[in-house]
Amino acid sequence: LVATMTLLWMAVQRHKADTRWMALGFLPLMLASTLPVMRNLGVLNTGFVSQYATMVASVAAAPVLLFALFARVSQRRLVRVRAAALMQSDPLTGLTNDRALMQNLHGSLMRAERYRHQFALVLVELANLDWFHKEHGRLMGDRALLLLATRMASVARNVDTAARLQDNMFVLLVEGPTSSAQAVAAATQVLSRSLRPSEQLPVGASLKVQITLALMPDPQSLDFGEDASACLNWVVAHSADLHEVPRKAIR
């Protein structure tokens, strides 16, 4: 009994909810177990309490112990789910990460070649991220990235992919068949939603984005074939070249 109580005390010191529930479940069982010991030592007379206290305590402890086990199993399952999600998601924004984006882009290129249609790549760059970091700190910069990611995800359809490519660059993969008008409409929605004021940002601050839109496969990108990385790098390179175009949010 002393050894068991010591182990329960050590478990409580771990400051975890499931171990505390486990200790709470064992506590009445440990207290009731002292009664038969005291009866065997002649301290208590034989009676209902000394004879059946352990059984009654076991019945009372069972629901608490089952709840503690359920909480521990749920916690471990949640950890596994989060670990698996990190393989496909960006830790900060929750959007698809670059590796999963490449897989989806490769599939889009294969379908576009097979069915002879085009899809759209919308590159969204948060142009004033450095300003957020300089004026309001990195925490506010992360908040701005998260806000932009949330608004991009609201534009994406179930078949589309919203991903974070670099520190301040996001990609919206609009699955085909997609026309030029549909691609421009998707880019316009991203722009309009990013310009909406938000209480999450400092007063007077807003998201400033630069958007580059490309219908893929482009005649110039056909040389890359189904190489998703090369096609995406081609679009990113053109996006950098088009930064010289003044007063144009969507290029």
Side-chain angles (χ1 to χ4, degrees):
L1 288 176
V2 173
T4 305
M5 294 296 291
T6 303
L7 292 174
L8 292 178
W9 174 252
M10 293 172 61
V12 171
Q13 295 304 308
R14 297 180 63 186
H15 300 288
K16 291 186 176 181
D18 55 345
T19 55
R20 290 184 176 182
W21 279 106
M22 191 78 68
L24 181 62
F26 273 107
L27 182 61
L29 188 60
M30 293 297 99
L31 295 177
S33 298
T34 60
L35 298 179
V37 175
M38 296 174 65
R39 180 197 61 192
N40 294 338
L41 295 176
V43 178
L44 292 179
N45 295 326
T46 302
F48 178 84
V49 175
S50 61
Q51 187 173 359
Y52 297 105
T54 305
M55 186 180 299
V56 174
S58 300
V59 174
V64 181
L65 292 176
L66 288 175
F67 175 79
L69 291 174
F70 174 77
R72 172 166 293 188
V73 171
S74 299
Q75 184 179 9
R76 291 185 177 180
R77 184 184 297 113
L78 181 60
V79 171
R80 289 195 297 268
V81 170
R82 288 180 177 177
L86 287 177
M87 300 296 295
Q88 300 287 328
S89 303
D90 176 64
L92 175 62
T93 62
L95 297 181
T96 303
N97 59 19
D98 54 350
R99 179 178 178 83
L101 171 65
M102 292 302 177
Q103 295 175 349
N104 295 345
L105 180 56
H106 177 71
S108 298
L109 288 170
M110 293 181 61
R111 288 187 292 271
E113 181 180 359
R114 180 175 181 179
Y115 297 110
R116 303 299 179 185
H117 66 242
Q118 288 184 308
F119 60 93
L121 280 177
V122 182
L123 269 63
V124 183
E125 184 177 356
L126 182 58
N128 59 341
L129 178 61
D130 292 338
W131 178 85
F132 278 111
H133 287 166
K134 181 179 179 180
E135 298 294 331
H136 302 283
R138 186 160 188 90
L139 180 61
M140 187 57 65
D142 291 345
R143 187 176 298 180
L145 289 171
L146 183 58
L147 180 62
L148 179 57
T150 302
R151 293 182 175 179
M152 279 192 61
S154 65
V155 176
R157 303 168 302 176
N158 293 335
V159 295
D160 299 336
T161 302
R164 186 184 182 191
L165 183 61
Q166 299 173 4
D167 188 25
N168 65 330
M169 182 175 290
F170 299 83
V171 178
L172 178 62
L173 171 60
V174 183
E175 286 288 351
T178 303
S179 64
S180 177
Q182 292 172 331
V184 172
T188 304
Q189 287 184 20
V190 173
L191 177 61
S192 62
R193 297 190 184 189
S194 64
L195 294 177
R196 292 178 184 175
S198 173
E199 296 181 355
Q200 302 296 326
L201 300 178
V203 177
S206 62
L207 302 177
K208 294 182 180 180
V209 298
Q210 293 178 340
I211 300 177
T212 302
L213 172 62
L215 283 177
M216 301 292 290
D218 187 272
Q220 298 182 34
S221 70
L222 290 176
D223 296 337
F224 303 123
E226 299 174 0
D227 190 342
S229 179
C231 290
L232 185 58
N233 290 336
W234 177 81
V235 177
V236 173
H238 277 274
S239 174
D241 295 338
L242 291 175
H243 280 318
E244 303 299 329
V245 180
R247 298 181 182 180
K248 197 169 184 181
I250 301 178
R251 299 178 294 273

